[in-house]
Amino acid sequence: MSLRQLLLRLPCYLGASGPRRGPLDTISSVVSWRGQSSRSPAHWNQVVSEAEKIVGYPTSFMSLRCLLSDELSNIAMQVRKLVGTQHPLLTTASQRSLAEITELIHTALLVHRGIVNLDELQSSDGPLKDMQFGNKIAILSGDFLLANACNGLALLQNTKVVELLASALMDLVQGVYHENSTSAKENHITDDIGILTWKEQTFLSHGALLAKSCQAAMELAKHDAEVQDMAFQYGKHMAMSHKINSDLQPFIKETTSDSLTFNLNSAPVVLHQEFLGRDLWIKQIREAQRKGRLDYAKLRETIKAGKGVTSAIDLCRYHGNKALEALESFPPSEARTALENIVFAVTRFS
């Protein structure tokens, strides 16, 4: 499911001309208000399905038949005829284009991240020539997607939106650079990374694109700076909450697999080593090593016995509550309810 496209298209249906005065002032009040919701579906797929009904059709790239259907082609032709006019439909069509541009940038990043480090290849991985060819294709494919995204941005003819998405792309590159420079170190698993540093790097690599795209969606809808900031805050905290939820999955899912791996720079691990201290963390890493390889199953149980997992759950809910607080600036609507339910889906762990 393309979360970014969905989150950017829903603001088209918020129907807010400006922020409503008197938003919730404290996190505790958000928690109290959230508990009163009677429309909080329990499952992620249900939340996404309900949101898709509001935007009109599935936003996933997997629905290619929908994108290529004759009916939609005819609609696209009619919309082109409106270019140059002030028809209200064009406002929504600009936001849909923005959602697709954002997804192109994100997909390009994923393709580029798929490049293989040839220095780390084993003989069992396959012929070196094939890997070199695959890297070239990944680079060219990612660049092609970025070029299309840049072309789409230019067609929006909005300087501020171009500036926002360009700065988001810069943040992405900076975030990935930090990740790669850390993982390239020989002893990266023992790096003393605090949660504040983790949050800064995670925002760059996972939150900035969604946050600035949500802000750009409000700019296209001609909302003022205050409304744009609320959209930015929603996108930022929603992205952070979603990332922490993803990091938590290996620690909260019941599994019998002994080969389950997880990122040693994920939120629960960073919090665990922050509570534990560097010396004890290094000791636990060494105790979990077996014949030069890390026993992830043993380390997973060690981390679960500490405070890292519960603290990560609390942090996930904190960012979820901040996202809900930002949504309080908009009047009630089906779109706002859908955005709220997306937050509920990533902050519920029972």
Side-chain angles (χ1 to χ4, degrees), residues 41 49 125 131 179 195 225 261 271 318:
S49 177
D125 293 328
M131 294 296 178
E179 289 180 2
I195 192 61
T261 60
L271 286 166
Y318 166 78

Side-chain angles (χ1 to χ4, degrees), residues 306-344:
K307 299 180 180 179
V309 175
T310 55
S311 296
I313 291 175
D314 291 340
L315 185 61
C316 179
R317 287 173 174 163
Y318 166 78
H319 284 291
N321 287 334
K322 295 296 287 185
L324 293 175
E325 186 178 349
L327 283 179
E328 271 294 291
S329 301
F330 298 94
S333 66
E334 287 187 357
R336 197 185 87 167
T337 299
L339 292 171
E340 291 167 351
N341 286 339
I342 289 173
V343 176
F344 298 148

Side-chain angles (χ1 to χ4, degrees), residues 48 64 82 125 151 168 202 239-240 242 272 288 304 328 330 339:
V48 170
L64 293 179
L82 297 176
D125 293 328
N151 183 61
T202 300
M240 296 294 289
H242 186 269
H272 173 77
K304 287 178 65 176
E328 271 294 291
F330 298 94
L339 292 171

Side-chain angles (χ1 to χ4, degrees), residues 44 241-255 260-262 266-268 300 304 309 312-313 316 345-349:
W44 174 259
S241 184
H242 186 269
K243 177 62 168 64
I244 298 170
N245 179 285
S246 178
D247 285 354
L248 278 163
Q249 293 308 306
F251 301 95
I252 61 178
K253 278 188 175 180
E254 293 298 328
T255 178
L260 179 68
T261 60
F262 50 87
S266 62
R300 173 176 175 263
K304 287 178 65 176
V309 175
I313 291 175
C316 179
V346 297
T347 54
R348 183 177 288 111
F349 296 94

Side-chain angles (χ1 to χ4, degrees), residues 99-154:
E100 292 163 0
I101 291 167
T102 300
E103 192 62 25
L104 279 175
I105 294 174
H106 176 67
T107 304
L109 178 68
L110 293 180
V111 172
H112 279 162
R113 278 187 169 182
I115 296 174
V116 177
N117 186 346
L118 300 180
D119 294 333
E120 297 179 357
L121 283 181
Q122 305 293 327
S123 57
S124 59
D125 293 328
L128 178 62
K129 187 176 181 180
D130 291 345
M131 294 296 178
Q132 290 175 330
F133 178 76
N135 277 355
K136 291 178 182 178
I137 294 298
I139 293 172
L140 291 173
S141 299
D143 290 348
F144 175 77
L145 293 176
L146 285 176
N148 276 274
C150 292
N151 183 61
L153 275 176

Side-chain angles (χ1 to χ4, degrees), residues 35-55:
Q36 297 175 3
S37 175
S38 61
R39 299 188 59 191
S40 304
H43 302 292
W44 174 259
N45 289 339
Q46 182 182 352
V47 170
V48 170
S49 177
E50 291 182 359
E52 284 180 338
K53 293 176 183 176
I54 297 176
V55 299

